[in-house]
Amino acid sequence: MLRNYLLIALRNLRKHKTFSFINIIGVAVGLACFLLIALYVQDELGYDRYNANADRVYRVTRTFLSSEGTASLKLAQAAPPFGPLIKQDFPEAEQVVRTLDLSNGLLRVGEHSFNEPDIYMAEANLFKVLSFDIVSGNPDQALVNPFSIMFSRPMAEKYFGSENPIGKTVRMNNQFDMTITGVFEPLPTQAHFHPGFLVSFSTLNDNRIYGAEGLRTNWSNNSFNTYVLLRPGADPKRMEAAFPAFQNKYVPTEEGRQASSFSVLNLQKLTDIHLRSHTDSEVEPTGDITYIYLFSAIGLFILLIACINYMNLATARSAGRAKEVGMRKVVGALRNQLIGQFLSESILLVVFALGIAVFLVMLSVPALNDFTNKQLSFRQLLDPVFLSVVVGITLITGLVAGSYPAFFLTSFRPLGVLKGQIASTVRSGKLRQVLVITQFAIAIALIISTAVVYNQMKYIQDYRLGYAKDQMLILRDVGDSTTNYETLKQQLVQTGAVRDMGRSSRIPSGRLLDSYGAMAMKGDTMAPVKINLRGLQVDYDFIPAYQIGMAAGRNFSRSYSTDTAMVVLNETAVRQLGWTPDQAIGKPFQYGPAKGQIIGVTKDFHFESLHQQMAALAMILQPGQLNWVSVPLKGNTSEAVQRVESVWKQFFPQQPFDYKFLDERFARLYAREQTQQTLFSIFAGIAILISCLGLFGLSMFMAEARTKEIGIRKVLGASEASLVALFSKDFMKLVVVALVIASPIAWYAMHSWLNDFAYRTDIHWWVFALAGGLTVLIALLTVSFQSVKAALTNPIKSLKSE
């Protein structure tokens, strides 16, 4: 029986080559998109699951609350004392380990030196909590002693080639000699952090670096990643419930407030970090579970469009197969046998399409890897779980695509079929119209989404940030002293390639995560302010280097020795304090170590991403060494960089000249949205392509079905143009209905997406007009090909067609 079904199915596929080709290509492209998205989703969902104890490892996060009790700062890190105290006070904690991201460090071996961005300090029990593959060295002892360092295998090969690095010495930051105690394999791509080097945490006990006292008592430096391995069966919610009392016990009060009133500790699952963490500070960029849902839905929608194509074309051809069904029923075929026949045809077609889809996936995976910076492999399709999903999807696709044609065709009564009484029913095809509308509604919604994302990206690119970001060269850790730095600056300016040079604790495009206690005059006394005021340490030249305008007052000046006690605010801070810029000048103000008065108010400038609201900002003067140096260039960029490098090598002959441009950092802030824009464009194009393939097939069928009608109309004097219009208008009506349905759905979805931006464009009416016009034009061109062909046919041939 099954063999008979397959033989008949193959014959039907060969007999109707055009319809078979349209269906197979449509389903193949739909399946290929689905499989590529499935590979991406599987990779995203697999983050940190390689850890042996992934289900029991949690990260301690800390949220700071405003005086009104709302979250003002959400951090993925915590202060250093929390780790040991959690281990001490909570028996549920089997292990607690702390790591510290050093962000950047200069390592030198012999004459070779490199700035390394992935250096982490880690406690000795790290390998009992997180899974590492240790190549050499004793994992229990490698991070015990101070000034010990472990290299990842690629870094060991970079510095030592094929030599065994164990026991060798490396110079760090031109200050300390570190002994290499181990080598580990790089963590998988699906890890939330990727250390190139691990330095023993006990090194921090040295007072030149941090000091043991600071590790025990510094509650304000929330830079330490703290991981907790719970004992089997331990309840993390019970621990979280005890955290308020735990904080009140150890953390000092602030302005009379207990710690639990301004600080909240939470436990975050290790496997939730990549997709469900929405903190203000992460070790590495994370994903978003919302996008996983979104792209999964798009994959299913594209597959649905391909299934709809099959349904439409199969039911449209039903008149041609009606007599076959009638004859089979007359000779005794049961309905379930006929249903099995039609479903087998559908599944066979989908199996052919799957073969083509797999080939398309093989071709597309390298491009997808380049686009997403992942290491997806076609071999993932051979994973038993993934393979079972693919087989299941293939069967479901075949059943869904073939179900309606099977039940529709087998419902015909033999007598009516043999008398030719079903043609009008087939031609009207109400459900088929609904399916076409569904196809184009999905495609139109994707086009609208693409246009909105493009407009938002254009809005961001054109938005005035309030500072000069073009040709801004960024350097780190320049000079060992203020004197050395000033000399370097003078020589750089003298080259004519540098306009100015400023230093700061952070640079625009980063996050403002620092905050100090602020006090302003209230009546006759100084009182704490009730606004969330972020802090930035700068030198005399930071504001002019970025060409930030002043709304009132002045910048810090070397002419005033007291400026180290003064404060410069931005307009948002002044406004939240209830003053105008002019009123703020001269008012007594304290912020962290600065205890003087407000000497200037800058115009607002967007230090952070446009995802965030403008922060109230206080700048204080720190003319000594700061982490970041901003160098605005002049003239030809490449020549200016060469001049800067030449001077650099004179001052730091053993230090690599590593630099970045601010506009590149700024672009990375919106990399996810740029990726989304490109993917929307691709998916919208594919959706339109598959829909038009189906429309082409339908128009071909309708032209054949109405051949005699067209001949009669031409004999009676109808023009080719009127016939094309008559033939096309029914399809155009469906596209217009699809536009009406898709527009409010797309508007709601994109309105929600835009809410992630504090500064956003409007959704303009022309976006919907553009999507509708573009879809109508493409559909019209698709249908017109068959319409014109039918209209130009000799009416004599048309009238002889039956």
Side-chain angles (χ1 to χ4, degrees):
M1 180 70 74
L2 181 60
R3 180 175 178 274
N4 185 48
Y5 285 166
L6 293 176
L7 285 174
I8 296 173
L10 285 171
R11 288 172 187 166
N12 277 310
L13 290 176
R14 286 199 300 266
K15 183 178 179 181
H16 305 284
K17 293 183 178 63
T18 302
F19 288 100
S20 298
F21 174 79
I22 290 173
N23 276 324
I24 290 174
I25 292 301
V27 174
V29 173
L31 277 172
C33 286
F34 180 85
L35 291 176
L36 286 170
I37 290 174
L39 284 173
Y40 177 82
V41 169
Q42 181 196 40
D43 182 86
E44 287 285 289
L45 294 175
Y47 266 71
D48 290 306
R49 296 186 186 278
Y50 68 89
N51 284 282
N53 298 314
D55 59 329
R56 293 194 288 130
V57 178
Y58 290 78
R59 182 176 69 176
V60 179
T61 65
R62 191 179 191 187
T63 301
F64 286 92
L65 306 177
S66 67
S67 56
E68 289 78 23
T70 58
S72 61
L73 188 63
K74 297 180 180 180
L75 299 177
Q77 294 80 26
F82 280 119
L85 293 174
I86 288 175
K87 180 69 172 70
Q88 171 186 300
D89 281 30
F90 292 92
E92 298 96 329
E94 181 177 319
Q95 295 284 342
V96 178
V97 63
R98 294 169 294 176
T99 67
L100 177 64
D101 180 8
L102 296 182
S103 297
N104 191 65
L106 177 65
L107 297 184
R108 182 160 58 89
V109 175
E111 299 301 317
H112 303 288
S113 59
F114 300 94
N115 281 320
E116 300 293 355
D118 301 316
I119 303 176
Y120 288 79
M121 308 200 87
E123 291 189 286
N125 61 335
L126 174 69
F127 308 123
K128 296 179 180 178
V129 178
L130 301 178
S131 298
F132 280 73
D133 182 5
I134 306 300
V135 177
S136 58
N138 184 343
D140 294 328
Q141 298 295 320
L143 295 176
V144 172
N145 296 322
F147 300 101
S148 299
I149 187 170
M150 297 181 70
F151 279 48
S152 66
R153 179 185 49 75
M155 293 299 102
E157 293 171 354
K158 173 181 174 180
Y159 283 87
F160 299 100
S162 59
E163 293 182 47
N164 181 7
I166 303 296
K168 295 184 181 296
T169 299
V170 58
R171 186 75 171 171
M172 186 171 179
N173 293 333
N174 291 321
Q175 292 179 291
F176 307 105
D177 288 325
M178 315 291 291
T179 302
I180 302 173
T181 56
V183 177
F184 59 92
E185 285 291 344
L187 290 182
T189 305
Q190 293 168 296
H192 73 279
F193 79 125
H194 297 86
F197 307 86
L198 294 171
V199 176
S200 56
F201 199 86
S202 57
T203 307
L204 290 173
N205 289 323
D206 191 300
N207 288 327
R208 295 171 296 170
I209 301 174
Y210 199 94
E213 184 66 18
L215 292 174
R216 285 193 301 269
T217 62
N218 190 337
W219 296 98
S220 59
N221 181 8
N222 295 281
S223 303
F224 293 77
N225 302 288
T226 306
Y227 302 93
V228 180
L229 173 64
L230 298 184
R231 297 186 187 280
D235 183 5
K237 294 297 181 184
R238 179 181 172 278
M239 282 186 66
E240 286 187 327
F243 277 157
F246 167 74
Q247 285 198 91
N248 293 337
K249 178 180 177 182
Y250 293 108
V251 182
T253 60
E254 287 188 7
E255 300 165 5
R257 299 169 62 194
Q258 285 191 311
S260 60
S261 68
F262 62 81
S263 170
V264 176
L265 294 182
N266 290 106
L267 292 177
Q268 182 181 55
K269 284 188 67 174
L270 180 68
T271 52
D272 283 347
I273 290 175
H274 181 65
L275 291 177
R276 292 180 171 85
S277 183
H278 302 289
T279 63
D280 293 315
S281 63
E282 282 293 342
V283 179
E284 291 183 9
T286 59
D288 192 331
I289 191 65
T290 302
Y291 288 97
I292 299 302
Y293 295 144
L294 176 64
F295 290 130
S296 298
I298 289 174
L300 289 172
F301 280 141
I302 289 178
L303 196 56
L304 176 61
I305 289 175
C307 291
I308 289 174
N309 267 4
Y310 183 88
M311 293 181 189
N312 280 339
L313 294 178
T315 54
R317 287 173 46 226
S318 57
R321 300 193 65 180
K323 288 187 179 180
E324 174 193 341
V325 173
M327 289 299 296
R328 285 176 178 274
K329 283 192 171 184
V330 167
V331 298
L334 299 177
R335 188 183 183 195
N336 63 335
Q337 292 176 320
L338 294 172
I339 290 173
Q341 170 63 51
F342 287 115
L343 288 179
S344 66
E345 287 185 24
S346 173
I347 292 174
L348 182 63
L349 182 143
V350 173
V351 169
F352 286 154
L354 178 63
I356 298 174
V358 168
F359 177 71
L360 293 175
V361 170
M362 291 175 63
L363 295 178
S364 303
V365 163
L368 183 62
N369 283 335
D370 291 341
F371 184 63
T372 60
N373 292 319
K374 288 187 174 294
Q375 296 179 4
L376 304 177
S377 169
F378 180 75
R379 288 192 297 272
Q380 290 174 243
L381 289 174
L382 303 179
D383 176 77
V385 176
F386 195 87
L387 194 60
S388 63
V389 171
V390 172
V391 173
I393 288 294
T394 302
L395 292 175
I396 291 172
T397 302
L399 293 173
V400 170
S403 58
Y404 175 69
F407 287 101
F408 176 72
L409 290 170
T410 58
S411 66
F412 297 155
R413 294 182 179 180
L415 185 59
V417 168
L418 297 176
K419 285 184 176 182
Q421 294 174 352
I422 63 121
S424 61
T425 302
V426 171
R427 190 171 295 144
S428 62
K430 296 296 183 184
L431 180 58
R432 191 162 62 249
Q433 293 177 357
V434 172
L435 294 176
V436 171
I437 289 171
T438 302
Q439 277 185 311
F440 278 95
I442 294 171
I444 290 170
L446 287 173
I447 292 174
I448 292 171
S449 300
T450 301
V452 173
V453 174
Y454 172 81
N455 284 343
Q456 177 63 15
M457 293 298 99
K458 187 74 168 57
Y459 177 85
I460 288 171
Q461 292 167 4
D462 297 341
Y463 194 87
R464 294 182 63 86
L465 299 175
Y467 62 86
K469 69 178 177 66
D470 296 331
Q471 285 192 296
M472 185 65 74
L473 189 77
I474 303 298
L475 301 171
R476 290 204 65 175
D477 303 321
V478 177
D480 301 323
S481 68
T482 302
T483 303
N484 202 23
Y485 169 79
E486 291 296 335
T487 306
L488 172 65
K489 177 184 174 182
Q490 290 174 10
Q491 292 204 19
L492 284 175
V493 172
Q494 288 172 5
T495 64
V498 172
R499 173 171 54 79
D500 209 329
M501 194 164 162
R503 301 174 101 173
S504 55
S505 56
R506 297 181 183 272
I507 56 170
S509 75
R511 295 303 308 274
L512 290 166
L513 302 179
D514 303 318
S515 184
Y516 309 96
M519 300 183 74
M521 186 65 72
K522 189 174 184 180
D524 296 329
T525 58
M526 298 293 287
V529 301
K530 293 185 177 181
I531 68 170
N532 181 21
L533 190 60
R534 302 295 173 87
L536 181 67
Q537 297 179 29
V538 300
D539 70 354
Y540 297 103
D541 304 306
F542 175 82
I543 291 175
Y546 278 93
Q547 297 181 335
I548 299 168
M550 299 299 297
R554 63 176 178 83
N555 178 32
F556 299 110
S557 172
R558 292 177 176 84
S559 302
Y560 299 91
S561 60
T562 57
D563 272 7
T564 52
M566 303 304 169
V567 180
V568 174
L569 303 179
N570 67 350
E571 289 177 307
T572 295
V574 169
R575 185 167 52 252
Q576 291 182 10
L577 289 167
W579 305 325
T580 65
D582 289 328
Q583 289 173 343
I585 303 302
K587 286 188 178 291
F589 201 84
Q590 296 180 13
Y591 192 71
K595 299 179 180 179
Q597 57 183 260
I598 300 169
I599 61 169
V601 177
T602 68
K603 293 181 179 179
D604 279 339
F605 61 99
H606 289 272
F607 195 97
E608 299 179 301
S609 157
L610 293 179
H611 288 98
Q612 278 79 41
Q613 290 284 354
M614 180 72 69
L617 178 64
M619 285 175 275
I620 57 177
L621 183 63
Q622 172 55 266
Q625 184 170 355
L626 294 168
N627 291 335
W628 295 96
V629 179
S630 303
V631 186
L633 304 180
K634 295 191 299 183
N636 182 277
T637 302
S638 59
E639 291 180 3
V641 170
Q642 290 175 6
R643 293 184 185 181
V644 173
E645 183 178 9
S646 176
V647 175
W648 173 277
K649 288 181 177 179
Q650 296 175 25
F651 278 76
F652 313 109
Q654 294 184 329
Q655 189 168 334
F657 178 63
D658 289 338
Y659 66 92
K660 297 186 183 302
F661 280 102
L662 186 63
D663 54 358
E664 295 173 352
R665 288 175 55 94
F666 187 83
R668 283 199 295 271
L669 293 176
Y670 311 103
R672 186 169 63 185
E673 287 76 15
Q674 292 285 7
T675 299
Q676 187 178 20
Q677 176 188 337
T678 305
L679 290 177
F680 271 145
S681 301
I682 293 171
F683 292 141
I686 290 172
I688 285 288
L689 172 65
I690 298 175
S691 298
C692 287
L693 277 174
L695 202 59
F696 181 81
L698 280 178
S699 62
M700 184 186 297
F701 162 78
M702 296 304 290
E704 292 175 1
R706 300 176 70 175
T707 299
K708 193 168 186 178
E709 175 192 343
I710 293 171
I712 294 172
R713 286 181 179 275
K714 289 193 72 173
V715 169
L716 294 176
S719 66
E720 282 84 356
S722 64
L723 289 173
V724 170
L726 174 71
F727 198 84
S728 303
K729 69 177 183 180
D730 291 337
F731 290 108
M732 294 306 102
K733 288 178 182 176
L734 300 181
V735 175
V736 171
V737 173
L739 174 63
V740 172
I741 294 172
S743 294
I745 297 173
W747 179 89
Y748 177 80
M750 297 317 296
H751 181 74
S752 301
W753 179 79
L754 286 172
N755 283 336
D756 286 341
F757 293 87
Y759 301 89
R760 51 188 176 268
T761 186
D762 296 323
I763 303 179
H764 303 285
W765 65 268
W766 59 261
V767 169
F768 303 95
L770 175 66
L774 183 63
T775 308
V776 167
L777 177 62
I778 294 173
L780 187 61
L781 290 173
T782 304
V783 173
S784 294
F785 179 81
Q786 289 299 325
S787 303
V788 172
K789 183 179 177 182
L792 293 176
T793 303
N794 190 323
I796 296 176
K797 292 183 179 180
S798 299
L799 295 173
K800 285 182 177 180
S801 65
E802 295 183 9

